[in-house]
Amino acid sequence: AQTVTQSQPEMSVQEAETVTLSCTYDTSESDYYLFWYKQPPSRQMILVIRQEAYKQQNATENRFSVNFQKAAKSFSLKISDSQLGDAAMYFCAYRSAAVQGAQKLVFGQGTRLTINP
Amino acid sequence: NAGVMQNPRHLVRRRGQEARLRCSPMKGHSHVYWYRQLPEEGLKFMVYLQKENIIDESGMPKERFSAEFPKEGPSILRIQQVVRGDSAAYFCASSPTGPYTFSGANVLTFGAGSRLTVL
């Protein structure tokens, strides 16, 4: 079974600076998808960014980018120019591309990000 | 588009009572997923449903939990005879296509969750 590990329970960063959240995963599959979700205090789960494993190019969405290292099974999220609204729990998630398992997202434990003004 | 609507947002039950959580998927979405989030943990998959069909319930506890997605109306997650360990946030998500199709279209949209507290 696949597992996702976020080793940083909490992180903090000064407003306008850059922060990187770590995520590693374990799988024997070669084709899969990776996601970062944001959960603000409202509890709404919001998709931040996604990456297809077959793509070598790292995904980017405005101030959010990932460093996808397939061989190392690492998928970190970089937030540039941090804003107060970025404060939230961030979850890394894995989804298999295989028929059996494709319907499940496997989540990490989350990293709570605090933005200091 | 109202997004994925879940209600109630908060539900308090005493041990032994029943809890019913409702989820209306986004307009045009016919695939529904339920996840549970225990305190200080990530979300855990429970069940995947299409209209009138349970496709995968491998994450559901064997007893007391059931889910349905009728032809008309919202999806319902039902917990009978609740215990304190059922206290959690329950999230519903929906997608426009199934997970076995091209992934680009199968991005899950989550609701805001229903927080169940069992006294």
Side-chain angles (χ1 to χ4, degrees), chain B residues 37-53:
Chain B
Q37 184 181 29
L38 296 172
E40 304 304 318
E41 293 187 13
L43 281 67
K44 297 282 196 301
F45 170 82
M46 298 182 76
V47 62
Y48 160 48
L49 311 102
Q50 294 180 30
K51 285 283 187 181
E52 300 184 278
N53 285 300

Side-chain angles (χ1 to χ4, degrees), chain A residues 11-17 19 21 37-44 46 48 63-64 77 79-91 111-117:
Chain A
M11 292 281 284
S12 63
V13 64
Q14 290 295 124
E15 192 176 3
E17 295 191 347
V19 64
L21 308 184
Y37 279 88
K38 169 185 177 181
Q39 187 179 42
S42 66
R43 288 209 319 264
Q44 180 82 46
I46 303 165
V48 175
R63 298 183 294 106
F64 299 86
L77 174 70
I79 307 174
S80 304
D81 185 25
S82 298
Q83 300 176 359
L84 294 178
D86 295 333
M89 282 290 285
Y90 285 81
F91 291 97
T111 296
R112 185 177 303 280
L113 178 63
T114 302
I115 311 295
N116 300 314

Side-chain angles (χ1 to χ4, degrees), chain A:
Chain A
Q2 295 82 17
T3 59
V4 176
T5 301
Q6 293 177 249
S7 59
Q8 306 154 314
E10 296 183 356
M11 292 281 284
S12 63
V13 64
Q14 290 295 124
E15 192 176 3
E17 295 191 347
T18 295
V19 64
T20 299
L21 308 184
S22 301
C23 172
T24 58
Y25 56 94
D26 187 27
T27 184
S28 59
E29 299 176 333
S30 60
D31 199 12
Y32 49 85
Y33 309 96
L34 297 164
F35 306 84
W36 278 97
Y37 279 88
K38 169 185 177 181
Q39 187 179 42
S42 66
R43 288 209 319 264
Q44 180 82 46
M45 292 290 286
I46 303 165
L47 178 65
V48 175
I49 199 166
R50 71 174 187 233
Q51 174 82 40
E52 289 89 345
Y54 63 84
K55 290 186 177 178
Q56 292 186 335
Q57 187 172 7
N58 290 322
T60 298
E61 290 286 343
N62 301 313
R63 298 183 294 106
F64 299 86
S65 62
V66 298
N67 183 4
F68 173 47
Q69 301 289 328
K70 191 172 184 179
K73 297 179 183 174
S74 170
F75 183 60
S76 60
L77 174 70
K78 185 171 84 171
I79 307 174
S80 304
D81 185 25
S82 298
Q83 300 176 359
L84 294 178
D86 295 333
M89 282 290 285
Y90 285 81
F91 291 97
C92 179
Y94 171 104
R95 183 168 76 82
S96 171
V99 171
Q100 189 164 4
Q103 67 278 16
K104 304 174 187 176
L105 280 171
V106 179
F107 285 87
Q109 309 91 314
T111 296
R112 185 177 303 280
L113 178 63
T114 302
I115 311 295
N116 300 314

